[in-house]
């Protein structure tokens, strides 16, 4: 069984949509939701996460055992998500051997050159399609 970690911050809206869509398409995956704050974590729990935790250390620990990490591109950039991503958190995601599916959601102040400007719904659908390909 694949161990997915979904990381999100602020209000957790992206993580909530990702978890709901992934659970619908791949109910066999175990999803750990990690919020950079309690509001984000609560939103992802409501979407159906199997486990959840909040904060910097939770990100570090979850990244150690993840097969796949999913979240906005800002999760690999220190001080992104309005300052919620610490250097330690971004480094833990980057150093993890897990496959990373990073959504180029440019609201974090980072523009991924060559990435199309897509709605959050379209990005979620593409993420689920990539998980389909991964098995």
């Amino acid at each position: 069984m694949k161990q997915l970690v979904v990381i999100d911050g602020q209000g957790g809206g992206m993580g909530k949509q990702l978890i709901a869509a992934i659970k619908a398409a791949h109910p066999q995956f175990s999803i750990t939701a990690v919020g950079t704050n309690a509001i984000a974590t609560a939103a992802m729990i409501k979407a159906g996460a199997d486990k959840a935790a909040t904060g910097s250390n939770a990100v570090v620990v979850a990244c150690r055992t993840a097969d796949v990490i999913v979240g906005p591109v800002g999760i690999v950039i220190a001080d992104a998500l309005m300052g919620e991503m610490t250097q330690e958190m971004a480094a833990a995601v980057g150093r993890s051997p897990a496959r990373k599916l990073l959504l180029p959601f440019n609201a974090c102040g980072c523009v991924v050159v060559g990435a199309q400007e897509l709605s959050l719904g379209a990005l979620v659908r593409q993420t689920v399609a990539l998980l389909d390909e991964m098995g």
Side-chain angles (χ1 to χ4, degrees):
M1 178 181 346
K2 287 203 185 296
Q3 298 293 317
L4 271 72
V5 172
V6 177
I7 301 172
D8 199 11
Q10 298 174 316
M14 178 183 287
K16 180 179 179 178
Q17 287 188 45
L18 283 165
I19 290 170
I22 293 167
K23 275 294 186 184
H26 296 280
Q28 75 279 14
F29 289 173
S30 175
I31 300 178
T32 300
V34 183
T36 60
N37 63 65
I39 294 169
T41 304
M44 292 188 284
I45 290 170
K46 287 180 184 174
D50 297 298
K51 297 181 274 185
T54 303
S56 181
N57 196 56
V59 171
V60 172
V61 172
C63 287
R64 290 181 192 151
T65 58
D67 294 310
V68 180
I69 298 171
V70 183
V73 68
I75 65 173
V76 294
I77 302 169
D79 298 332
L81 304 179
M82 296 187 64
E84 292 182 0
M85 284 304 293
T86 66
Q87 291 179 356
E88 183 180 33
M89 294 160 80
V93 175
R95 289 182 182 134
S96 174
R99 185 138 189 216
K100 294 144 194 93
L101 302 181
L102 304 175
L103 286 72
F105 203 66
N106 296 328
C108 66
C110 303
V111 176
V112 179
V113 176
Q116 299 174 354
E117 280 288 325
L118 299 173
S119 68
L120 180 54
L123 291 171
V124 168
R125 286 189 296 278
Q126 284 188 4
T127 302
V128 172
L130 283 170
L131 288 169
D132 291 343
E133 292 174 18
M134 292 171 54

